[in-house]
Amino acid sequence: QVQLVESGGGLVQPGGSLRLSCVASGFTLASYAIGWFRQAPGKEREAVLCINRWAGRIDYVDSVKGRFTISRDNAKSTVYLQMNSLKPEDTAVYYCARRSGSCSRSLSEFGSWGQGTQVTVSS
């Protein structure tokens, strides 16, 4: 059974850090791009970062550049999202999803979405 499970969310103060994990099962992670997405209350889901099967990285949101990084450990079937200098506007449910091979800006081209993990940035 193909599955992606996110974890690592929580409540953090502005300026703090969190590391999210996306653990894959039921398929070979090394063959897939993994994207991180987020959805804030009342807003559409947006692509944040993606890492392709060759470990190339794509930033989709200017506001996270220099603060968020994405990495993968295929041996652990895990993709990470390191989030530093968090801001209240980063508050959202964060999701990961997969796409064969390369990244895409189109959410509809990703599948096997996880259930999401809540990130709340607040003092």
Side-chain angles (χ1 to χ4, degrees), residues 45-61:
R45 191 172 300 187
E46 65 175 354
V48 180
L49 284 160
C50 183
I51 186 166
N52 63 30
R53 61 176 295 186
W54 305 279
R57 299 162 176 81
I58 299 176
D59 297 340
Y60 292 120
V61 179

Side-chain angles (χ1 to χ4, degrees), residues 101-116:
S102 60
C103 293
S104 170
R105 184 175 292 274
S106 174
L107 273 67
S108 64
E109 296 185 15
F110 285 82
S112 305
W113 292 82
Q115 83 290 347

Side-chain angles (χ1 to χ4, degrees), residues 15-33:
S17 297
L18 284 174
R19 188 177 78 160
L20 307 185
S21 299
C22 172
V23 179
S25 60
F27 67 99
T28 302
L29 180 65
S31 298
Y32 287 82

